[in-house]
Amino acid sequence: LIVDSGVPPQTNLDNNCVWISTSSPGDDPDGYQACSGGAWVDDGQWGLWVDKWPEPNDPHPGQTFQYVINYGTDGGAANGPTWLTDTLPADTTVVGWYDEYGWDALWTEVITTGGQFVLYAPAGVPGDMGGRIHLTLLLDGGVSIGTHLENTVVITTAGDVNPNDNQ
């Protein structure tokens, strides 16, 4: 949803509710509903941050391992569409991923091949929120012991006030 620009900051929006019903006999028209909590409209600046580390620290050739990618917002204001791009180490293949805090639905998987892992959050990342993505990779069995695995993760959104902590 897009908040109208005329809504004043520091406004608490009403619950967002949905109802489902049927014309079948015996249906209870009030029995099938769910509501979210109200959303807080904030006028603060927004920004994103990201960091990551491998688990285990030293994967063995032929072994799966994870990169844990922490991400979050700087402040209470939500941001616009968000891209998370991880340039994967050579000789690795994406096995899968999930968000530890259950924010999987926030992200759309765009690319998981060709040395890149790219996620897109069309609605952006909500304010005062963070997540932790577990990216599971398979290290090719032919990689020599002692090979240095190197990669970069970047998170971006338009208007980020502190792009220095986005990679």
Side-chain angles (χ1 to χ4, degrees):
L1 298 174
I2 297 175
V3 176
D4 185 283
S5 61
V7 174
Q10 312 306 312
T11 298
N12 191 21
L13 300 177
D14 293 334
N15 289 342
N16 183 7
C17 298
V18 63
W19 288 266
I20 187 169
S21 64
T22 179
S23 59
S24 297
D27 184 44
D28 176 6
D30 297 323
Y32 303 102
Q33 66 178 343
C35 296
S36 70
W40 182 255
V41 177
D42 200 337
D43 65 347
Q45 296 177 322
W46 63 81
L48 296 168
W49 57 266
V50 68
D51 64 15
K52 71 184 288 185
W53 62 88
E55 286 185 358
N57 251 356
D58 299 317
H60 192 273
Q63 178 184 16
T64 59
F65 68 102
Q66 290 186 350
Y67 274 114
V68 179
I69 304 170
N70 268 342
Y71 66 91
T73 58
D74 293 321
N79 59 74
T82 301
W83 290 91
L84 187 137
T85 304
D86 196 334
T87 305
L88 302 175
D91 302 310
T92 61
T93 305
V94 173
V95 174
W97 68 276
Y98 68 93
D99 191 302
E100 181 177 327
Y101 302 130
W103 290 103
D104 299 39
L106 177 74
W107 299 102
T108 299
E109 189 176 294
V110 179
I111 300 172
T112 59
T113 59
Q116 284 197 319
F117 173 71
V118 180
L119 298 178
Y120 177 62
V125 178
D128 290 328
M129 197 219 83
R132 181 173 289 162
I133 294 171
H134 291 260
L135 172 60
T136 303
L137 302 176
L138 173 64
L139 181 59
D140 185 91
V143 172
S144 300
I145 299 289
T147 298
H148 182 73
L149 301 178
E150 190 172 319
N151 68 323
T152 303
V153 64
V154 178
I155 193 166
T156 58
T157 189
D160 191 335
V161 295
N162 183 17
N164 295 330
D165 58 0
N166 291 20
Q167 118 175 354

